[in-house]
Amino acid sequence: MDSASIYYLGVTLFLFIVFAAIVARTYRKAHQAKGEEPKFRMMDDDEPKKKDRPE
Amino acid sequence: MNQQDGYADDIVKGFVIWSMVWGLVAVLLGVFISFQIAFPQLNFPPYLTYGRLRPIHTNAGIFGWGIGSFMAFFIYITQRLTRRSLWSPGLAKAQLWLFNVVIALAAVTLAMGMNRSKEYAELEWPVATLVVVLWVIFSVNIVMTIVKRREEQMYISLWYILATLVGVAVLYLVNNAAIPVSLTKSYSAYAGANDANVQWWYGHNAVAMVLTTPPLAIFYYFLPKATGVPIYSHRMSVVAFWSLIFMYLWTGAHHLLWAPVPDWVQTLAMGFSVMLIAPSWAAVFNGYFSMNGQWHQMRENYLVKFLIFGITFYGMQTLQGPSQSIRTFSAFIHFTDWVPGHVHMGTLGWVSLVLFAAIYYTVPRIYHTEVYSIPMANMHFWLVLTGQLIFSITMWIAGVQQAAMLNATNPDGSLHYSFIETLAELYPYWYMRAAGGVIYLAGLLLFLYNIYKTITGGKPQAAVQPA
């Protein structure tokens, strides 16, 4: 393996660690309610609220 | 710009209509070139040959129909999920003009034979430069709307939208790097195997960033809107998103198995392609689990039918794709008709079904009418489903037969069939494919008529209608 290959695999490993951190953060218990909130809030966006209208 | 409702929806109308125009062009050309393969005498050199028309078909389909409607729905969705009007409606209007100029220029230049010979990156540098300008305008408008959002957290569709904007920009700039030698000719900045590697890094990630992330953004938005029930798990969708982003960019080299690129690059691409089953199926399961207690809507709600069949084809596509990336299977089916069967399950089955649902949902709302005919929409569904299945299944069978014939050897190791013998056996399948295309086209025409009547002659919307 040359240095380019090691660099390539190193970047892969680094990104995997970042990904694992995202999974851990997303699924931590304290984040449960907040993590699911957007799916409920998006249900009522068809009609903009008064405060959302252009100034 | 009609902004009395707070959202800039006039521009959405423009993109929806033009994307349907280009979609019709793509399917008409697709049907015509399928007849050209079945009946070679239908090739009329130099302009009306398969070689000239095929890239116009793919460009009209992927960029005209696909990107055009993604632009429409990104604008529609982003405003609603951020609860902000579009950052600059004027910029979006300019974007619509430029989009149509680019697609028209693409069609004309490709018909004239100006082609970089890179699949899905055929456009010569002046047109490609306009594409970059177009994408920058689009991205700035969407990103600024998201930056100024009134919602603290971003719903999953916005993540997919951002990934598309960034991903396409990076892919397009890198793979289109070229040295112009005249106004109509340029040469790639890369050479040999490196050029192939960059091309397929781009080519497969065009599948990721054009044919996967945008329809997923649209699916995650319109499924809950159509059913009236939130998605099963937002956190699962977030994890699936990041794992998809993490894995996809490594997979391009599976198009170059057995080619002179480093063996470990091929193996890595193969490994990541198989791993991609996990995030892809996380989205599929999220869709299915969102239907818990709602499966009766498959019968009652035509939008749900489009969306759930769409995500099912996505699931099948993401099982078939990784299988094809395995060296031994790839050696068998590569360079056979199996491949267009696979591709069209994705484009006609997955992407287009989701887009049809999104258009049926959106058009009555932005035009304040009701859908002209739901039975017609149901007929549209069955016609496009039948047409697509005939196309794909026929091509899979043809591909297996072709592969078996190409690989058949005599006891002394020589090939059992000549190449022309393998082609002659494929004619019945090519007739079937053309027939499948005609059925699909009939469904599309019904859809266009339904939408036309919804816009021009639909009953006024009494109230906010259920899907």
Side-chain angles (χ1 to χ4, degrees):
Chain A
M1 253 194 195
D2 56 10
S3 54
S5 314
I6 294 166
Y7 172 73
Y8 195 105
L9 291 174
V11 171
T12 309
L13 189 67
F14 168 72
L15 289 177
F16 180 76
I17 292 167
V18 172
F19 169 64
I22 291 171
V23 175
R25 183 185 174 279
T26 306
Y27 271 97
R28 74 176 198 272
K29 264 212 166 111
H31 189 68
Q32 189 170 355
K34 202 176 178 191
E36 295 296 343
E37 201 182 285
K39 77 178 186 189
F40 298 111
R41 292 185 60 83
M42 65 84 67
M43 295 300 292
D44 72 339
D45 64 6
D46 276 335
E47 296 301 321
K49 307 283 179 288
K50 227 174 197 170
K51 65 180 174 58
D52 301 332
R53 290 168 193 252
E55 296 85 12
Chain B
M1 192 59 55
N2 172 20
Q3 292 206 45
Q4 74 269 26
D5 288 344
Y7 296 140
D9 283 340
D10 277 4
I11 200 68
V12 178
K13 295 176 186 173
F15 275 109
V16 166
I17 288 170
W18 279 105
S19 70
M20 291 190 299
V21 170
W22 293 118
L24 178 63
V25 170
V27 176
L28 280 172
L29 280 175
V31 172
F32 184 61
I33 61 176
S34 72
F35 274 94
Q36 284 186 320
I37 294 178
F39 304 98
Q41 60 272 32
L42 288 175
N43 283 270
F44 304 105
Y47 302 111
L48 297 179
T49 55
Y50 179 84
R52 294 278 174 99
L53 294 179
R54 195 265 182 182
I56 304 178
H57 161 65
T58 55
N59 275 268
I62 299 171
F63 301 113
W65 162 238
I67 294 279
S69 42
F70 300 151
M71 285 175 167
F73 295 119
F74 282 14
I75 292 171
Y76 181 89
I77 291 172
T78 302
Q79 295 183 96
R80 282 155 177 82
L81 289 179
T82 57
R83 296 179 198 269
R84 291 295 306 221
S85 186
L86 192 64
W87 183 65
S88 171
L91 208 55
K93 213 170 184 177
Q95 180 195 333
L96 177 61
W97 278 96
L98 188 54
F99 164 75
N100 283 308
V101 167
V102 165
I103 301 292
L105 276 176
V108 172
T109 54
L110 290 170
M112 291 169 72
M114 296 170 199
N115 191 321
R116 294 178 70 230
S117 307
K118 286 186 154 199
E119 200 171 11
Y120 313 126
E122 293 93 350
L123 305 180
E124 271 299 349
W125 69 271
V127 187
T129 306
L130 287 178
V131 173
V132 173
V133 174
L134 174 69
W135 201 256
V136 169
I137 291 174
F138 178 43
S139 302
V140 166
N141 218 350
I142 295 292
V143 169
M144 287 309 293
T145 309
I146 294 175
V147 166
K148 292 181 172 296
R149 71 187 186 276
R150 290 194 168 99
E151 280 289 326
E152 183 201 347
Q153 288 197 75
M154 298 202 307
Y155 182 64
I156 187 61
S157 296
L158 290 178
W159 285 105
Y160 278 110
I161 287 171
L162 284 175
T164 306
L165 298 178
V166 175
V168 169
V170 173
L171 294 163
Y172 204 84
L173 283 174
V174 173
N175 192 46
N176 279 276
I179 300 158
V181 290
S182 72
L183 194 64
T184 57
K185 185 68 195 159
S186 63
Y187 290 99
S188 173
Y190 317 101
N194 283 342
D195 193 32
N197 223 351
V198 172
Q199 160 60 18
W200 284 110
W201 167 77
Y202 165 88
H204 194 76
N205 286 296
V207 175
M209 296 299 162
V210 177
L211 301 177
T212 301
T213 51
L216 278 174
I218 292 166
F219 174 79
Y220 274 123
Y221 184 81
F222 286 103
L223 182 70
K225 290 291 181 186
T227 58
V229 179
I231 58 163
Y232 169 71
S233 169
H234 190 259
R235 289 186 303 160
M236 186 161 104
S237 70
V238 170
V239 169
F241 166 80
W242 283 110
S243 53
L244 188 106
I245 298 302
F246 170 64
M247 289 173 198
Y248 232 124
L249 294 180
W250 269 252
T251 60
H254 71 217
H255 286 260
L256 298 166
L257 298 177
W258 309 102
V261 294
D263 197 56
W264 67 268
V265 173
Q266 297 179 34
T267 305
L268 200 68
M270 197 173 81
F272 272 88
S273 301
V274 173
M275 282 157 63
L276 258 181
I277 293 173
S280 307
W281 272 81
V284 176
F285 281 126
N286 219 342
Y288 287 163
F289 292 161
S290 303
M291 293 295 292
N292 279 342
Q294 302 296 325
W295 285 105
H296 58 93
Q297 292 205 38
M298 283 289 280
R299 238 184 2 256
E300 300 154 1
N301 186 337
Y302 68 104
L303 295 176
V304 173
K305 212 154 49 189
F306 279 98
L307 289 163
I308 291 298
F309 268 84
I311 198 75
T312 302
F313 281 124
Y314 174 62
M316 289 161 67
Q317 188 77 356
T318 51
L319 283 180
Q320 203 178 53
S323 313
Q324 290 168 206
S325 73
I326 294 169
R327 272 197 183 86
T328 43
F329 192 46
S330 173
F332 190 64
I333 52 93
H334 206 68
F335 301 124
T336 73
D337 274 356
W338 174 285
V339 179
H342 169 70
V343 171
H344 283 80
M345 177 167 66
T347 50
L348 302 181
W350 156 231
V351 180
S352 294
L353 286 185
V354 168
L355 289 178
F356 290 140
I359 292 174
Y360 276 128
Y361 180 92
T362 309
V363 165
R365 282 166 175 79
I366 57 180
Y367 282 93
H368 306 288
T369 57
E370 287 182 1
V371 171
Y372 174 68
S373 168
I374 290 176
M376 202 181 279
N378 279 315
M379 180 59 79
H380 161 220
F381 171 80
W382 288 111
L383 282 171
V384 294
L385 181 70
T386 308
Q388 183 252 309
L389 285 176
I390 290 175
F391 185 126
S392 291
I393 293 170
T394 306
M395 288 297 96
W396 293 329
I397 297 170
V400 171
Q401 178 173 335
Q402 194 180 5
M405 291 179 77
L406 288 169
N407 284 286
T409 51
N410 297 315
D412 65 356
S414 61
L415 289 175
H416 188 72
Y417 297 103
S418 67
F419 183 66
I420 200 71
E421 283 175 313
T422 68
L423 285 188
E425 289 298 316
L426 295 176
Y427 274 94
Y429 301 109
W430 291 339
Y431 301 146
M432 285 293 286
R433 168 170 60 185
V438 170
I439 296 170
Y440 194 94
L441 176 62
L444 183 70
L445 291 173
L446 215 55
F447 162 72
L448 294 176
Y449 180 72
N450 206 356
I451 293 297
Y452 169 75
K453 293 296 284 183
T454 302
I455 293 171
T456 59
K459 285 173 283 181
Q461 208 173 30
V464 178
Q465 59 177 26

